[in-house]
Structure formats: structure tokens, C-alpha cells
Amino acid sequence: MSIENVREYLKKFGLESKIIELEDSSATVELAALALGVEPARIAKTLSFKKDDSCILVVTAGDTKIDNKKFRTEFGVKAKMLSPDEVLKYTTHPVGGVCPFGLPDCNVKVYCDVSMQRFGTVFPACGSCNSAIELSCDELFSVACAEKWVDVCVLRN
């Protein structure tokens, strides 16, 4: 079970007890915000993209979308999201529970988008469609072993 892998992973940081398991689904930004009682922008959504034979994960604020021009400039490829099967293959997490934690040791690189930095804390998923954890942006960056902060998003209209 993916959430158990994440729980085990977060033990290394002393954060496993901070995982929030919800009664309701948190599989979308809107559902997660409702279940957690926070504004949707504070949901840290993890988006999965294909790059050659590898995967790029971009963790971004819930009220943003990928800016294709910025993405291409940053990563040198067109923003092409993974299929649900590919998401599971690369991350071991199901769509709706994808997070930057407990990833297999394969070709997955994590990046954090600067859109989250306007908040004191954000809520990424924890490997299931009804889990989350509240972390500061610095904690998220560190625990996710992110490569760097990027600016590849714009606010949704």
C-alpha cells in the first residue's frame, strides 16, 4: 500500500505521525481543500511529466496550472503528463494520491514550484486518495529531496 511506503519514508524525518488520514476523498484539489478545511491554493498538488525515459514531478500550489513556455524553458521538453499507468509505474502512487515521498529509486526527479512559497504551510498528499500532511515549504522541499525551486506555473483564471 502506497501510504504505508510513505509512512515508512517519513519516519526518517520524524514526520510519520503528522500524516492526516481523511474520512473523505482528497483526490482532487477541491476535495482535499474541503476535507482539510483550507483554501484550495494551499493544497500542494504533485504533477507528473514524461522526460525521455524518466519522470519529472512538479509540486505546485493548488490554484495554479503549468505554463507550457516556462516548462519548456526550464526542462527543455514539452509538458507531457504521464498516463495513470505510467504514474503508478514511476511513483508507485495512484493518481489522486501522488506525492513526492517514498518514491522508488528510479528515474524520478522532484521540483517545487515557487507558487507555494506564499504560504506558511501547504498540504501534499501522502500516497493515497484520502491522505495529506501539513508541511512548511522548506520542510516539503527537504523531505521531498527536491532538485530545486522552479517557476513553471501561472495562476488559474
Side-chain angles (χ1 to χ4, degrees):
M1 186 163 17
S2 190
I3 189 170
E4 293 308 321
N5 294 341
V6 171
R7 190 180 316 280
E8 192 62 33
Y9 176 80
L10 291 176
K11 276 185 185 177
K12 295 187 282 188
F13 303 93
L15 295 171
E16 73 279 7
S17 65
K18 288 185 68 173
I19 293 175
I20 304 163
E21 291 192 74
L22 302 158
E23 294 288 322
D24 299 317
S25 174
S26 58
T28 66
V29 167
E30 293 74 21
L31 290 172
L34 186 63
L36 292 163
V38 300
E39 64 181 297
R42 288 185 59 208
I43 302 303
K45 62 183 176 181
T46 303
L47 304 174
S48 315
F49 299 94
K50 185 95 166 148
K51 182 176 182 190
D52 304 319
D53 291 330
S54 64
C55 170
I56 296 171
L57 297 183
V58 178
V59 187
T60 184
D63 62 348
T64 64
K65 63 181 181 178
I66 293 293
D67 179 300
N68 289 319
K69 185 176 179 185
K70 288 181 176 182
F71 189 95
R72 183 184 293 277
T73 299
E74 180 65 44
F75 298 114
V77 295
K78 182 180 178 183
K80 181 176 188 268
M81 294 197 75
L82 298 179
S83 71
D85 287 340
E86 290 172 317
V87 169
L88 199 55
K89 172 187 161 193
Y90 281 106
T91 70
T92 71
H93 305 312
V95 171
V98 177
C99 65
F101 315 125
L103 300 168
D105 293 327
C106 63
N107 297 326
V108 179
K109 293 197 184 287
V110 177
Y111 298 88
C112 290
D113 189 76
V114 296
S115 61
M116 295 184 292
Q117 292 179 332
R118 61 198 147 124
F119 304 109
T121 60
V122 292
F123 296 84
C126 286
S128 71
C129 295
N130 66 328
S131 64
I133 188 169
E134 183 175 13
L135 298 171
S136 71
C137 290
D138 288 340
E139 284 176 315
L140 173 58
F141 185 87
S142 176
V143 173
C145 299
E147 300 288 318
K148 68 178 191 172
W149 286 98
V150 295
D151 181 6
V152 295
C153 293
V154 294
L155 291 176
R156 288 188 179 277
N157 291 337

